[in-house]
Amino acid sequence: MLTGKIRNQIDQVWTMFWTGGVANPISVIEQISYLLFIRRLDELQRTAERRAQATGIPIANPTFGPDEQALRWNNFKDKDPNVMMDIVQNQVFPKIKALHNEGSFAEHMKDAIFMIPSAKLLDQVVQLLSAINMDDKDTKGDLYEYLLSKLQQSGVNGQFRTPRNIIQMMVELMQPKLGDTICDPSSGTCGFLMAALEYVENNYKQEVNKPENRKHVNNAMFTGFDFDKSMLRIGAMNMLLHGIENPSVLYRDSLQDQGDANISEAYNLILANPPFKGSVDFDIVAPDLLRALGKNPAAKKAAVKYKTEIDENGVETQVEVKTKGPTEKSELLFLALILRMLKVGGRAAVIVPDGVLFGSTKSHKSIREKIVNEQKLEAVISLPSGVFKPYAGVSTAILIFTKTNSGGTDKVWFYDMQADGFSLDDKRTPLFKDGVEPTHEQSNIADIIARYASLTNPDGTPNLASPEHSRKTTEQSFMVPVADIIANDCDLSLNRYKEVVYEEVQYDSPKEILARIKTLQEKMAKGVQELEKLL
């Protein structure tokens, strides 16, 4: 846990960035990430130097050569702020931009820009980071999580960060195992991957540090894709600070056709909150994703037309005009992509907008039919519409399914989530204090996890004795047979199946109401007369 003092220091640094002209919260986090990376490079070389001293074997390809010792964190951190500014801006920063063999963070540094506006601010940030014990991955991980929480508070940039309580709930529902390969195809800050790491480390404390398991965790267990360079740097640093030595955070437009490099059947767990505020041109989308939505890839090119233009000399020329081609919704394409990326037997928990659940277009129906009929749909959890405020009030749901390619959907578990522990307005104020167990009215998360877990036996087989099978459709959670879902065009909206019970309200007759009003008027008149007597 971060102390109040460190939080206050971070808040002060944040304010200094803001007043210094760096107003974009993503840029602030990036600048701090660069400094954390610079410090890490020095720590890695110091570890290698100690090893070389003990073994007598010289370091192969050290990051800092004999003539670059002044560029190391421990050598410039106590210098005069102006001298430090010159060293970092003109020597250290150009060096780290040219590194390519220090993991994925270094690979994403090519487009990085040094934006710290003053020597005073640089000195303050360096002193803050120097005071933190970076040997404690929990502390440095918490520090970065606190920085990332600023994204959510910042409104317009908050879409990059799914609320942490929702991420943790989804991870608890999926219960990742030590041997899993886990992917987020729109990783952003890598919040899902970090929550999965924390779950594995907490539930497999003895096994996780065995050499072969640690190697898997550090290199192959977690993969994130994004096409925003800023998010790639932030996500890679997040994974580094949480203890993953070689984070696999890669630049990739997940929906784009990569030909033979398209990823297929590569992961056995996908956790994602894909972007769902846009449409993607057919031109760039992989054909198999379009086919999964019932579309014809052959029709994916925009039509080309020509128009006649006359220049100043009266000469006519034919100019090519490319008209807008067909597009497809990104949330539907991501569902098709996730089905392709999963191994057979692989599981997914994905946040989708409510429109995916009941949309009537051919694409909407096609992807729902694929999930219901060809895979195994297990659960639909309807989220409150205020979960993504302040920047979006859209209603969403979590789909949980297993890729089988042979069907298997039997009964689908529906849950109507009403509360997540925070107010559902723009302020998103916590409804209970840290360390206090929330009531069900304050947060449904514990109830969701417990009820979903009851559906499965410890050996992984369905638990037909679960109380969920006997709950009525008037209750907060219930089961719906697949036959009912198919009969409703594979509509997955909770309101399609939830039965609303209306209470009959008895009203008094008008005569009785008028009689009560008359009695009240008489009492008022009597009270006025008594007041007049007192004057």
Side-chain angles (χ1 to χ4, degrees), residues 13 44 63 118 130 146 171 176 181 219 271 276 281 284 290 314 317 337 349 363 386 449 460 473:
V13 169
L44 289 174
T63 303
S118 69
S130 294
Y146 183 62
V171 169
T181 50
N219 296 282
L271 299 157
F276 44 78
D281 292 339
I284 66 168
L290 292 171
T317 54
L337 173 74
S363 298
I449 293 169
T473 54

Side-chain angles (χ1 to χ4, degrees), residues 285-487:
V285 178
D288 62 310
L289 301 186
L290 292 171
R291 281 193 289 269
L293 302 183
K295 295 297 178 72
N296 179 14
K300 70 178 186 176
K301 288 193 175 180
V304 177
K305 295 182 179 180
Y306 295 90
K307 69 176 181 178
T308 301
E309 287 189 356
I310 303 174
D311 64 17
E312 56 190 18
N313 298 319
V315 178
E316 293 185 359
T317 54
Q318 295 293 310
V319 179
E320 183 181 300
V321 179
K322 192 172 183 180
T323 60
K324 185 173 175 59
T327 60
E328 189 51 83
K329 288 186 174 295
S330 59
E331 58 264 32
L332 302 179
L333 290 167
F334 265 102
L335 279 176
L337 173 74
I338 288 165
L339 284 176
R340 187 227 282 161
M341 295 175 78
L342 279 173
K343 295 177 180 178
V344 174
R347 302 160 297 141
V350 189
I351 297 175
V352 296
D354 272 3
V356 171
L357 306 180
F358 57 78
S360 58
T361 71
K362 182 179 181 180
S363 298
H364 284 87
K365 289 182 180 179
S366 180
I367 194 65
R368 290 200 303 266
E369 287 170 359
K370 261 196 178 319
I371 293 173
V372 172
N373 296 329
E374 298 178 24
Q375 318 303 333
K376 184 180 180 182
L377 177 63
E378 295 165 25
V380 179
I381 301 169
S382 176
L383 300 177
S385 60
V387 162
F388 291 101
K389 284 188 175 180
Y391 59 86
V394 64
S395 294
T396 56
I398 300 169
L399 292 182
I400 299 177
F401 55 87
T402 300
K403 179 176 178 177
T404 63
N405 285 344
S406 58
T409 305
D410 180 19
K411 289 184 176 180
V412 179
W413 184 68
F414 284 79
Y415 193 103
D416 185 11
M417 185 179 186
Q418 300 289 333
D420 75 327
F422 295 84
S423 64
L424 298 173
D425 55 16
D426 285 354
K427 293 182 179 178
R428 293 288 282 158
T429 308
L431 299 180
F432 57 95
K433 294 180 180 178
D434 284 342
V436 177
E437 196 72 25
T439 63
H440 180 71
E441 288 70 29
Q442 292 170 330
S443 174
N444 300 162
I445 289 177
D447 188 53
I448 291 171
I449 293 169
R451 290 186 182 280
Y452 182 75
S454 76
L455 298 173
T456 310
N457 292 313
D459 62 358
T461 56
N463 178 17
L464 300 179
S466 169
E468 295 302 295
H469 289 280
S470 57
R471 282 168 70 85
K472 297 178 181 178
T473 54
T474 55
E475 300 186 71
Q476 194 168 10
S477 65
F478 51 87
M479 306 291 285
V480 177
V482 67
D484 292 356
I485 293 173
I486 292 172

Side-chain angles (χ1 to χ4, degrees), residues 44 78 123 160 177 192 214 216 279 307 345 407 416 419 432 488 500 507 520 529:
L44 289 174
D78 295 322
D123 180 60
F160 294 115
K177 298 176 178 59
F192 280 109
R214 198 73 233 179
H216 175 64
S279 297
K307 69 176 181 178
D416 185 11
F432 57 95
N488 281 297
V500 179
Y507 294 101
L520 286 171
Q529 289 174 357

Side-chain angles (χ1 to χ4, degrees), residues 71-311:
L71 280 56
R72 299 177 64 168
W73 180 276
N74 271 322
N75 292 336
F76 69 67
K77 69 182 179 69
D78 295 322
K79 290 190 180 296
D80 177 82
N82 290 318
V83 175
M84 185 196 303
M85 184 74 170
D86 178 63
I87 292 172
V88 174
Q89 185 173 18
N90 299 319
Q91 298 179 64
V92 182
F93 200 73
K95 178 176 177 61
I96 65 171
K97 286 186 66 171
L99 292 175
H100 301 293
N101 59 347
E102 297 290 344
S104 62
F105 185 86
E107 291 173 12
H108 304 315
M109 282 295 294
K110 288 180 289 186
D111 303 323
I113 301 172
F114 185 79
M115 295 175 63
I116 296 179
S118 69
K120 180 183 177 184
L121 176 57
L122 175 63
D123 180 60
Q124 187 171 4
V125 181
V126 168
Q127 299 317 315
L128 165 66
L129 298 180
S130 294
I132 296 172
N133 178 13
M134 289 296 182
D135 293 332
D136 184 350
K137 76 176 180 67
D138 291 333
T139 299
K140 60 190 181 186
D142 287 346
L143 179 148
Y144 209 70
E145 285 293 332
Y146 183 62
L147 281 172
L148 292 177
S149 71
K150 303 281 189 180
L151 282 181
Q152 199 160 339
Q153 298 165 12
S154 68
V156 67
N157 296 303
Q159 64 267 30
F160 294 115
R161 187 170 163 81
T162 308
R164 186 167 174 79
N165 60 331
I166 301 299
I167 289 175
Q168 290 176 328
M169 179 185 77
M170 290 170 68
V171 169
E172 288 278 349
L173 291 172
M174 302 312 289
Q175 298 182 355
K177 298 176 178 59
L178 191 53
D180 282 343
T181 50
I182 305 171
C183 179
D184 182 349
S186 53
S187 57
T189 63
C190 293
F192 280 109
L193 302 181
M194 292 306 90
L197 172 67
E198 289 172 8
Y199 181 91
V200 168
E201 289 186 332
N202 290 335
N203 288 273
Y204 299 92
K205 291 180 180 177
Q206 300 298 323
E207 298 97 325
V208 75
N209 287 318
K210 291 179 180 177
E212 64 276 12
N213 291 334
R214 198 73 233 179
K215 183 179 178 182
H216 175 64
V217 169
N218 283 333
N219 296 282
M221 188 169 184
F222 303 99
T223 304
F225 297 111
D226 211 299
F227 56 79
D228 184 307
K229 290 291 181 67
S230 294
M231 286 297 107
L232 288 168
R233 287 190 283 266
I234 290 171
M237 180 54 66
N238 196 13
M239 294 177 79
L240 277 171
L241 294 178
H242 280 83
I244 296 181
E245 293 177 5
N246 186 27
S248 182
V249 184
L250 308 173
Y251 178 84
R252 188 184 187 92
D253 184 345
S254 294
L255 299 178
Q256 190 167 350
D257 186 13
Q258 310 281 344
D260 292 339
N262 283 337
I263 299 172
S264 179
E265 300 199 358
Y267 308 101
N268 53 19
L269 177 59
I270 290 180
L271 299 157
N273 178 18
F276 44 78
K277 276 193 173 181
S279 297
V280 185
D281 292 339
F282 272 30
D283 285 356
I284 66 168
V285 178
D288 62 310
L289 301 186
L290 292 171
R291 281 193 289 269
L293 302 183
K295 295 297 178 72
N296 179 14
K300 70 178 186 176
K301 288 193 175 180
V304 177
K305 295 182 179 180
Y306 295 90
K307 69 176 181 178
T308 301
E309 287 189 356
I310 303 174
D311 64 17

